[in-house]
Amino acid sequence: MIKKIKQGAFYGSIGLLAFLVMISLLSIMGYILFNGVGHINLEFLTKEPRSMGREGGIFSVIIGTLILTLFSVLIATPIGVAAAIFFTEYSAGKKWVGPIRFFTEILAGIPSIIFGLFGFAFFVIFLGLGWSILSGGLTLAIMILPTLIRATEESLKTVPMSYREGSLSLGATKLQTITRVIIPSCLPGILTGIILGVGRAIGETAAVMLTAGSNLRMPTSLLDSTRTMSVHLYTLASEGISLEKTFATASLLIIIVLIINTAANAITSKYIIKS
Amino acid sequence: MKAYEKIVEKLIIVCAIISTISVVLITVFIFRSGLPILMNYGVIDFIFGTNWSPTNGNYGILPLIAGTLSVTLGALIIGVPMGIASAIILSEILPGKVARVFKSAIELLAGIPSVVYGFFGLIVLVPAIRTFILPIVQLVVPKATTTGFSIFAGAIILAIMILPTIVSISENSIKAVPREFREASLALGANKMETIVRVIIPAAKSGIIASIILGMGRAIGETMAVILITGNMPKIPGGPLDSVATLTGTIAMEMGYADATHQQALFAVGIILFMIIMLLNAIAQISAHGLRGNN
Amino acid sequence: GAKTEPTATGLTGKVVVAGSTSVQPLSEELASAFMDINPDVTIEIQGGGSGVGIKAAQDKIADFGSSSRELKAEEKATIANEYVIAKDGVAVVLDPANTVTDLSLDQIKQIFTGKITNWKEVGGADAPIVVVSREEGSGTRGAFVEITKVSEKDAAGTAVDNTTKDALVQPSTGAVKTTVANTPNTIGYISIGALDDTVKAIKVEGIDATEANVLAGDYKISRPFLYLSNTELTPAAQAFLDFILSAEGQAIVAKDFIPVQ
Amino acid sequence: MENASTKFEIDKLNLFYGSFQALIDIDMTIYTNKITALIGPSGCGKSTFIRTLNRMNDLILGVKTTGLVKFDEMDIYAVDYDVINLRKKVGMVFQKPNPFPKTIFENIVYGPKVHGEKNRDKLQEIVEKTLKEVALWEEVKDRLHKPALGLSGGQQQRLCIARCLAVEPEVILMDEPTSALDPVATSKIESLLEELVEKYTIVIVTHNMQQAGRVSDYTSFFLSGKVLETDKTEIIFSNPTNKKTEEYITGRFG
Amino acid sequence: MENASTKFEIDKLNLFYGSFQALIDIDMTIYTNKITALIGPSGCGKSTFIRTLNRMNDLILGVKTTGLVKFDEMDIYAVDYDVINLRKKVGMVFQKPNPFPKTIFENIVYGPKVHGEKNRDKLQEIVEKTLKEVALWEEVKDRLHKPALGLSGGQQQRLCIARCLAVEPEVILMDEPTSALDPVATSKIESLLEELVEKYTIVIVTHNMQQAGRVSDYTSFFLSGKVLETDKTEIIFSNPTNKKTEEYITGRFG
Ligand SMILES: Nc1ncnc2c1ncn2[C@@H]1O[C@H](COP(=O)(O)OP(=O)(O)OP(=O)(O)O)[C@@H](O)[C@H]1O
Ligand SMILES: Nc1ncnc2c1ncn2[C@@H]1O[C@H](COP(=O)(O)OP(=O)(O)OP(=O)(O)O)[C@@H](O)[C@H]1O
Ligand SMILES: [Mg+2]
Ligand SMILES: [Mg+2]
């Protein structure tokens, strides 16, 4: 009897909490989409901004966003996954891994503006890369590394020892074991890291503005500056330029993130055999 | 074959070194930029000073520390239960298809720029606190007032922002708990709740804690949303409906216009932030190890 | 149009302007007008804040650094050239429901330093005043506190900003505007260019906050938009600066801000 | 057969994993306070069948069960049947040892704790008693608070049996409980079974014909998802009706 | 003993899990093309020992090994020893079946692929051949591309044996390979062992005395981390030197 009550309370409370999550989700999404979707049209998608973005579209900004995000994720994913593999598979139990992991976690809490200033001082000025996709992408890559490393490490840890034993006992090298058995079985975790990373990169403003710049025109090379949708909507909103375009940009951004996430999920689930 | 493997393994090491170096570089960068003023102004005065007005040469960040801790704590109090409950529901209760949709929606939250959260908070949440929450609070504390720009508002928005991190990472590790453990527990006559609470969550603990630590990192590091809704008042707060300024918010807000010394001071704030996160991480790790003993 | 700019045609090259996000929209408009005349010149406008603008000029990584606040003395020493390209009036704004329509500079000072805390003391309803200010270092705040004497020199001659600690602080024009628009009993200050009917701009010392009044010198609260340079200007950069200061450039400035000529 | 009361009554039980039918029209009776052995070649459905008796197959996605399984006269697949209570009464030891990632002590007290036992001394007593019953006490008494996953395969399995006994169920389902054990431990478990059967009903899957012959009262022979024959163990081993049964049993060795 | 050549030569091997010593001064010789059986009560160190032969214990944190293990005259614990090559030559079947979360087909071709075999037909051939050898082919030939984790316990174990054979090692280490198997499958595996021993050297841990007696040429008796006795199987079973060995073996049943 008491058990029934306890269980009721348990399900009730986690249900309520999850319901709250739904509510927050719906209200934020709803708020943005309701105010924004109506202003998305062909012109908005295909034209360049005019009059500080008060008129026209955001075509170059969309392209800039995609390139910059893609670039940073392409840099960060291999490095992050490899680093996580190194920390869990190659140096498990080593004393010095602890401090590195610790610092990595701390970096996850450093405000992005500091990454921005670092990128500005290091990539833009010191390496002379200027405000460019290169500077911005590298800065963002460093910024999303902690999340990526940690998410990957966590899923590596869940791979049962017996899989490693099975593979090694067949004469597979460590690397083969990692690439053929371990990574496939923890793809969902890596994917989580990437999705969270993409989210952070795509939603970032301060760090991007200081490193990739906020040039409105279409970038033609990695050394060109670009403006991302987040930077654009930050400028629109904070300088009070156009609330309409702000919401339209935000809505479009949500739609783009949705597409990216869905695609990523679809691709990984294709590679995972469910048991 | 051999040579190729050696190269790849070297590459893996290189990647680990790169990420370590980037960690070190940024750490050095922050310390190099902030240490001089910290030394000149005095560490104690800096940390325990209660007056933050850089244009007047006052760099006391105690109010900012109080602001950061209260908002972060609030976000964790609200966000962690919500996140873990959602992770449980996603992995243990909802059927696969529904769960996938719910999860994608939560992951979507990760991609919304923080300015948008900020403006949502500014236009919807802050007035809502003033008009709905305040009257309720006044029933208990009649003298309470608030503009709505508050710890509470910041905590709610941050809680929502850290949900994707907590939910996705926790859910992955809950899912990775082998089916044998569930079976063993159910076969002993434990119900689903007991199985979840006593077997699954402890087995997934490492991942859940990692998710909380990363979420906490995100909450502390988040700026754009927070500066729009907490009021940025560098005063030590008396309650959850008071306005506060946070360490990160102050850095982000003032860095853009700051002159040289002011900038140094903001980097010094970064150093303190570094220390605080270190401390919080240590606490999280220790409490996790403490738990392990009991299970 | 183009005829007033005889040297511009045939110009090539790239001009980078970086810095203040407040100046950024104006720079963008000026740049696009300039590039219509000189299609072979690329002008890149970067944000980052006035701090970045000053640093960019100091380190010569941009042709022009832009700033929306006056330079400090020690900053002035490191910058060779400083051009005022426009002025921005700062309007004092209340939430639209407020009945107060006019405040003196002194009343504003008393409010922002926390001496006056209720609207009834300045002829409004009986309600506590909620002060909304900008962040430390902001150019708008700098101009505002200086002219309203919220900031005063102390005995040693250094300026002390006495803005009340009970002020809400918002980090941008848009945020202050939205805050004031949505929060009862607030008072704040924003760029005249950003005024719209979501907030109510009041008269200061009986003078309306309009661009014309700032230009005429009647309305006192304003700040400069600066272009800073530490290098020998390239022909393209020189041409861009000339264009901005020309009648045509200043006409663009006048759309939202106050021309300097 | 009529002189014993019935614990489980299975009637036309069919089970599908998706489209694959793993159990076909199973009819069987399991008698109270008897040991029933299930034998048959690998993959014939023994584990699947035993898992229907405490509805453990509910956990596997895509499993569909039809037919009747009655426990103490009640249909356990009825909609409002209390599965938790069923599982409390019907304990299970699995084919692969599956201790929790907890200490040895915590593994054993898990069940009692879940069912409300809080008294520390009582729990300690349960641990000692059950570990002795499975002949593990001497080996682990100094490391009760060490992780159970550090035990050897056989030790883990005995721990799992102890964990099951700690709940004091009415029925114990055992899926090859001794396959990971050495002869000494096996013989201890077998004598334990003889003791337990006084109080409990036992269903045991085994590959060891000798074991089935030695310990069980009834034996069922499974083949390709069907029960070919169920009878008193003496009869199955001495005089099986079905030719296949005979072949399987005489194909035995040792 | 002198008439067979030596595959492994073990000398004063000690192994510690942290501070717990699991193997004490083990001396042993394992002869080429012979089957060596390891017997002994649960927890005595058989699995630990067998895992030192392909250095599988390297994976466990805190394991410390001292002494000499020579494979083909080479010290396998030497610093520059090629462990991968060792493991390729020394295959292993584990106590708990551990198929990869891949399809049945992918499980078997994993080893060959890792060692460079790409030819699809060749791989198909390997799958069929090895599955037939372990008597699993008929049961799974229609679901080769289904997940291996959907197999029954015994099927999984046979799959793991097949996976090991697919690499064509020189030595096969088997940790209770038939404990999850029914008699028919067991007898098939045992005859397989008899065939394999022509080409391979086999070390097998077993709890089944009959099995040890039936299949092995040499038998080692382990107790509490020590080897009490190693000898030709006939001798161990008929006339053991050590009293403990005799007790253990005669304590057998079935
Ligand atoms: N990873 C480990 N950490 C600590 N102790 C261990 C570990 N693995 C095994 N042991 C201990 O080492 C001893 C030998 O274990 P091992 O697995 O070799 O036994 P075994 O002879 O194979 O037994 P079984 O027949 O039950 O499989 C046991 O006491 C066991 O508890
Ligand atoms: N989860 C599953 N999904 C699909 N098929 C399954 C699943 N579990 C078992 N099977 C199949 O059902 C059949 C019966 O399996 P079961 O595990 O009951 O066999 P078993 O008699 O216990 O064999 P063993 O003696 O090897 O343990 C086998 O063909 C097996 O492959
Ligand atoms: Mg089975
Ligand atoms: Mg063993």
Side-chain angles (χ1 to χ4, degrees), chain D residues 141-156:
Chain D
K141 65 171 187 263
D142 301 325
R143 50 197 265 211
L144 288 179
H145 299 284
K146 293 276 159 61
L149 293 174
L151 295 176
S152 80
Q155 290 169 331
Q156 289 189 10

Side-chain angles (χ1 to χ4, degrees), chain A residues 51-52 54 117 120 124-125 131 209-210 212-217 223-227 234-235 237-241, chain C residues 16 18 21-22 24-25 28-29 35 42-48 52 55-56 59 61-62 172-175 177 256:
Chain A
S51 172
M52 321 174 194
R54 199 172 282 152
L117 286 166
F120 179 62
V124 176
I125 299 179
W131 288 282
M209 202 187 278
L210 288 169
S214 45
N215 187 27
L216 263 176
R217 287 167 325 103
L223 280 168
D224 273 5
S225 159
T226 193
R227 176 183 289 198
Y234 174 72
T235 313
S238 63
E239 296 306 318
I241 293 172
Chain C
V16 177
T21 42
S22 312
Q24 192 176 9
E28 265 159 20
E29 289 229 27
M35 285 188 288
T42 324
I43 297 184
E44 211 176 271
I45 310 292
Q46 308 290 5
V52 168
K55 180 135 181 62
D59 292 0
I61 54 170
S172 66
T173 302
K177 189 164 78 174
D256 280 318

Side-chain angles (χ1 to χ4, degrees), chain A residues 98-122:
Chain A
I100 292 178
R101 178 176 299 137
F102 200 63
F103 274 88
T104 313
E105 266 160 13
I106 290 173
L107 278 196
I110 293 295
S112 48
I113 179 98
I114 297 220
F115 285 91
L117 286 166
F118 169 76
F120 179 62
F122 189 69

Side-chain angles (χ1 to χ4, degrees), chain D residues 143 150-155 180, chain E residues 17 20 22 40-49 60 95 175-176 207:
Chain D
R143 50 197 265 211
L151 295 176
S152 80
Q155 290 169 331
Chain E
Y17 290 114
F20 174 72
S42 176
C44 65
K46 305 178 298 295
S47 296
T48 304
F49 173 72
I60 300 175
Q95 192 165 3
D175 196 346
E176 302 183 34
H207 281 132

Side-chain angles (χ1 to χ4, degrees), chain B residues 51-56 119 122-123 127 130 147 149 227-229 231-235 243 253-263, chain C residues 21-22 48-52 68-69 72 75 130 135-139 159-161 165-171 175 178-179 182-184:
Chain B
N51 183 5
W52 173 259
S53 47
T55 29
N56 302 344
F119 271 89
L122 183 59
I123 296 172
R130 194 172 52 231
T147 49
F149 293 90
I227 55 187
L228 287 170
I229 52 184
N232 306 308
M233 215 181 261
K235 279 175 65 172
S243 299
M253 195 166 58
E254 298 180 5
M255 197 64 99
Y257 288 92
D259 61 45
T261 359
H262 189 176
Q263 249 193 36
Chain C
T21 42
S22 312
S50 300
V52 168
S68 60
R69 65 167 168 80
K72 302 264 159 63
E75 288 168 347
V130 178
E135 73 279 14
E136 297 254 351
S138 149
V160 176
D161 184 337
K165 290 277 181 227
D166 287 320
L168 295 174
V169 175
Q170 287 295 22
T178 315
T179 303
N182 290 299
T183 317

